[in-house]
């Protein structure tokens, strides 16, 4: 007997619910009919998939192994159907995304409602942290990462560029003066992560200069450094997407405008090294890329 998709779907639901009757009802099957389907599936694969008692069912050792394959088969079929039926409403499944806290708050979270409204079959989990998450180990579908990517087997796609500039609050500059040359930075309070105290800056002629900075505040949080700069504590090196609103409002102003932090950082989507990404991953990646094109601070402008 050959395997059929409905039996695989029933098997997966029984494994999740631990009850044949309840799972069968979701498929419009009586408990007896559902049991017969499972028995036929076990006959087809040649092994017992469940341990049954009068109260519940649980996966056998072979059943646990088969469950992972069944989920993958059903997922592959779903993706194949989504590929030939491009309507966003045909895309289904949970989408788990990791990103930095500040970038997620400013440039991903505001668009979640629009994406989910146009993809009603998708549910989205957004994990925002300034720590780098191992998306393979922790089961994420994708991550948005900014900057240089470490060598890995992850599949990466560039979505935008992320220029970085030096900024400070007007109150800081009024008290401490505006730097006019790179060497002046050594006399200023520079706000940075402890592992990023040397700033590489690109001059108008394209030459690169490394400046070792000093300062009385550091943080692992990009947002904390922004807040410190806003309060007038010192000069910070920030991505333009982080501070575009503050620049427009004048609460932060550029410092040494002829210089930019080198190299330009880039915004990537990364995903596990599977041959074909799920349709929900492709859809969200395309969606973000379209949104980012409309943001001057993410286009190098």
């Amino acid at each position: 007997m050959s395997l059929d998709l409905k039996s695989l779907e029933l098997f997966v639901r029984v494994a999740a619910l631990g009850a044949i009757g309840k799972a069968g009802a979701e498929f419009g099957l009586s408990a007896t009919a559902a049991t017969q389907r499972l028995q036929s599936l076990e006959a087809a694969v040649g092994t017992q998939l469940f341990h049954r008692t009068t109260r519940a069912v649980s996966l056998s050792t072979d059943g646990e192994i088969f469950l992972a394959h069944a989920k993958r088969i059903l997922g592959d079929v779903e993706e194949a159907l989504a590929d030939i039926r491009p309507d966003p409403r045909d895309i289904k499944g949970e989408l788990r995304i990791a990103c930095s806290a500040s970038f997620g708050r400013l440039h991903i979270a505001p668009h979640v409602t629009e994406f989910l409204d146009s993809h009603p079959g998708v549910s989205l989990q957004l994990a925002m942290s300034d720590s780098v998450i191992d998306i393979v180990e922790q089961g994420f579908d994708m991550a948005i990462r900014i900057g240089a990517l470490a060598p890995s087997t992850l599949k990466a796609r560039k979505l935008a560029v992320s220029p970085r500039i030096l900024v400070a609050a007007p109150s800081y500059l009024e008290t401490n003066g505006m730097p006019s040359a790179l060497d002046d930075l050594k006399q200023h309070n520079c706000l940075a992560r402890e592992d990023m105290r040397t700033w590489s800056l690109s001059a108008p002629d394209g030459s690169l200069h490394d400046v070792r900075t000093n300062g009385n505040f550091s943080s692992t949080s990009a947002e904390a450094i922004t807040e410190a700069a806003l309060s007038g504590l010192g000069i910070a090196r920030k991505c333009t997407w982080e501070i575009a609103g503050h620049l427009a409002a004048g609460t932060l102003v550029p410092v040494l405008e002829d210089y930019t932090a080198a190299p330009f950082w880039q915004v990537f989507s990364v995903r596990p090294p599977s041959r074909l990404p799920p349709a929900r991953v492709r859809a969200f990646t395309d969606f973000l890329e379209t949104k980012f094109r409309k943001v001057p601070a993410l286009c190098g402008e």
Side-chain angles (χ1 to χ4, degrees), residues 148-228:
L149 296 179
S152 75
T153 59
L154 298 178
K155 300 291 186 180
R157 172 177 163 184
K158 187 179 81 171
L159 302 181
V161 296
S162 177
R164 292 178 294 163
I165 61 174
L166 304 185
V167 295
S171 59
Y172 174 84
L173 297 173
E174 289 169 5
T175 302
N176 298 278
M178 173 71 80
S180 59
L182 290 182
D183 282 346
D184 293 345
L185 289 175
K186 297 175 182 178
Q187 310 306 319
H188 281 267
N189 197 40
C190 295
L191 316 173
R193 284 174 48 175
E194 280 300 330
D195 59 347
M196 294 184 177
R197 277 292 175 194
T198 298
W199 291 353
S200 294
L201 299 167
S202 176
D205 63 4
S207 59
L208 297 179
H209 305 267
D210 289 340
V211 180
R212 179 66 183 177
T213 64
N214 301 293
N216 63 3
F217 178 73
S218 64
S219 176
T220 58
S221 167
E223 291 186 323
I225 292 175
T226 300
E227 291 300 321

Side-chain angles (χ1 to χ4, degrees), residues 8-32:
L8 288 180
E9 290 175 346
L10 176 62
F11 164 70
V12 170
R13 286 303 289 157
V14 172
L17 298 175
I20 294 176
K22 188 174 181 180
E26 294 183 2
F27 292 82
L29 299 172
S30 66
T32 300

